[in-house]
Amino acid sequence: MAVHDIVVVGGSFAGLSTAHYLLRHTIPKLEAHNRSNSSSQSYKVTLISTTDHFFFKVGSPRTVASPDLIPVDKVLLPIADGFKDYAADHFKLVIGTATSVDEGTKTISVSTHDGAGGQTNIPYATLVIATGSRSSSPLWTLQDTAQQTDAELKRVHAALQKASSSSVLIAGGGPAGVETAAYAYPKHETTILSGSTRLLTRLRPAIGQAAEAQLSKLGVRTIHNLRVISTATDPQNNNNKTTVTLSDNSTQTVDIYIDATGPRPNTSWLPSSLLSPQTSRVETDPTTLRTGSPNIYAIGDAASYSKLVLFDVNDAVRPLCSSILHDLWPSSSSGGKEGKPKEVPYKQMQKEMQVVPVGQKAGVGVVMGWKVPSWFVWMVKGRTYFIEKARGTVSGAEFVKA
């Protein structure tokens, strides 16, 4: 019997975790059931990733500030290492960029990054969209290659480590901007543009105000209601300064410019029929993670249910895979699906939940709707930025058990 191809597109948190769960739990259950019913139906997971590395972006603000705080090789990890124990007849890793999907032929067009280049079509019977979101700067998400992020980190490190004081401008008032500003301040004149009326707009106003007060104590200036419209660098000028044009039509030249503005959904390769016209995210049932197309699912930042937090990835993996298991469970000879496993609905966290370190000794945050003190933020995130979980994300450590 032909192999049922499950294709997962996306090599970050959502894609890696989903692939591991399918390989460890979903596929073994399906194949065990098939064997007990004298069926040879098998399943294979193909993971399509634009780059051959996983980027643990949670730790990126500290890595951006200095490689001494979190070395680059701790946040950029080879994907293949985490999947080396799976048999070739059950798993395949394809390094390339998905450029389109044809629901009629059930194929995905992929521009391969194997050195030779070229285009290939990958068939699917089940498709999981886990392409996440894409930032303007490679400091926060991988772009075409891991080398781009590595090179940009080294450029920023070299600029920040100059002995003389430099002007640092950070655009973006979300967690990445706030955390980076707090680490960039020593020796430098650092300014952060919130791009809004306050910092940390996803949380209640008091939290953003507290973050601004803590940054002010570090000597970081916060400016509201001002955005960067465009940037320009002079390649003939060895000082690598950047001139920014702002939303009030003024210009400013700075030694170091860091774009930490919010990401955009990485869904341009998908047909508009799958996307929300308002958000450009994949229209997804918030409890089952199914889309409006049969056997197509979405998880993480690319999906409409997501609030763009890691909880909406990690907590959604099991519900997603339970939907896939339910849909793929074979029919009995009587036409029913007796013994079909029960679906596990996704229940999204509705209360405020985010912690944002502000330097190595302070921070702001809310846990389960409760405002938490600085020491708690340091204890939960500020000490390590969860870097101890990076390799476990690649190897699927959180999903060893079903």
Side-chain angles (χ1 to χ4, degrees):
M1 184 174 287
V3 174
H4 183 103
D5 291 304
I6 304 175
V7 177
V8 180
V9 186
S12 192
F13 293 90
L16 299 183
S17 298
T18 299
H20 278 298
Y21 197 98
L22 289 169
L23 288 160
R24 287 179 179 157
H25 308 296
T26 307
I27 289 177
K29 287 180 181 178
L30 286 166
E31 293 186 343
H33 177 76
N34 290 339
R35 286 192 298 271
S36 68
N37 288 277
S38 303
S39 170
S40 60
Q41 174 73 68
S42 62
Y43 305 83
K44 182 175 183 177
V45 172
T46 297
L47 176 64
I48 302 173
S49 175
T50 299
T51 75
D52 58 0
H53 278 66
F54 163 70
F55 182 35
F56 190 74
K57 62 183 181 180
V58 177
S60 56
R62 187 171 281 184
T63 303
V64 167
S66 171
D68 295 330
L69 295 172
I70 296 181
V72 176
D73 62 4
K74 298 291 186 182
V75 294
L76 281 174
L77 303 168
I79 292 174
D81 290 355
F83 291 84
K84 60 186 178 182
D85 293 333
Y86 298 116
D89 60 348
H90 277 103
F91 177 75
K92 181 179 181 181
L93 175 62
V94 175
I95 305 303
T97 301
T99 57
S100 65
V101 59
D102 187 326
E103 293 184 67
T105 61
K106 288 194 170 184
T107 56
I108 302 164
S109 294
V110 178
S111 177
T112 57
H113 300 166
D114 56 5
Q119 198 84 6
T120 187
N121 291 324
I122 296 177
Y124 72 86
T126 295
L127 171 61
V128 178
I129 300 166
T131 43
S133 53
R134 182 185 179 100
S135 61
S136 298
S137 168
L139 291 173
W140 318 112
T141 60
L142 295 184
Q143 310 285 316
D144 297 321
T145 67
Q147 288 71 30
Q148 287 177 308
T149 292
D150 186 41
E152 182 65 4
L153 284 168
K154 289 177 179 176
R155 184 192 70 80
V156 173
H157 291 159
L160 288 174
Q161 288 171 1
K162 287 182 178 178
S164 59
S165 177
S166 298
S167 55
V168 179
L169 179 65
I170 299 171
V178 170
E179 293 173 13
T180 303
Y183 280 108
Y185 80 91
K187 302 188 300 182
H188 303 298
E189 298 177 3
T190 302
T191 300
I192 180 172
L193 305 180
S194 71
S196 182
T197 57
R198 57 188 173 87
L199 299 172
L200 305 175
T201 55
R202 292 184 180 276
L203 297 174
R204 68 190 72 165
I207 304 300
Q209 292 163 4
E212 182 174 346
Q214 291 182 12
L215 286 174
S216 180
K217 290 180 180 179
L218 297 175
V220 176
R221 184 171 61 143
T222 302
I223 299 177
H224 301 298
N225 300 311
L226 200 60
R227 295 175 179 267
V228 173
I229 302 301
S230 64
T231 64
T233 56
D234 183 357
Q236 305 300 320
N237 193 333
N238 292 327
N239 60 23
N240 294 316
K241 291 189 177 185
T242 300
T243 299
V244 299
T245 300
L246 302 171
S247 55
D248 63 357
N249 295 319
S250 66
T251 60
Q252 184 179 349
T253 299
V254 295
D255 296 302
I256 305 168
Y257 171 66
I258 297 175
D259 186 340
T261 52
R264 301 178 301 279
N266 204 4
T267 57
S268 61
W269 61 285
L270 294 167
S272 59
S273 59
L274 285 173
L275 305 179
S276 162
Q278 288 77 34
T279 65
S280 295
R281 301 184 188 278
V282 181
E283 290 277 19
T284 310
D285 184 288
T287 59
T288 68
L289 291 306
R290 295 184 179 95
T291 71
S293 296
N295 300 316
I296 298 181
Y297 311 79
I299 183 173
D301 288 5
S304 60
Y305 77 91
S306 175
K307 294 180 180 179
L308 309 183
V309 292
L310 272 180
F311 295 109
D312 279 337
V313 173
N314 295 338
D315 293 349
V317 171
R318 289 179 177 87
L320 164 66
C321 292
S322 81
S323 293
I324 294 174
L325 180 64
H326 180 276
D327 295 344
L328 295 185
W329 198 255
S331 299
S332 67
S333 57
S334 62
K337 291 193 175 185
E338 289 80 1
K340 180 187 294 189
K342 186 178 180 181
E343 290 187 74
V344 179
Y346 177 55
K347 298 178 181 179
Q348 189 175 53
M349 174 78 67
Q350 297 301 322
K351 295 182 179 179
E352 284 181 299
M353 189 83 166
Q354 191 173 64
V355 289
V356 182
V358 183
Q360 297 190 54
K361 297 182 179 180
V364 297
V366 180
V367 174
M368 298 295 290
W370 294 89
K371 182 179 178 181
V372 294
S374 277
W375 65 263
F376 184 88
V377 177
W378 173 84
M379 181 182 70
V380 171
K381 182 178 179 181
R383 286 186 300 172
T384 67
Y385 271 67
F386 305 118
I387 197 63
E388 68 277 3
K389 295 181 178 292
R391 291 194 179 278
T393 302
V394 178
S395 64
E398 189 169 336
F399 300 101
V400 171
K401 295 183 180 180

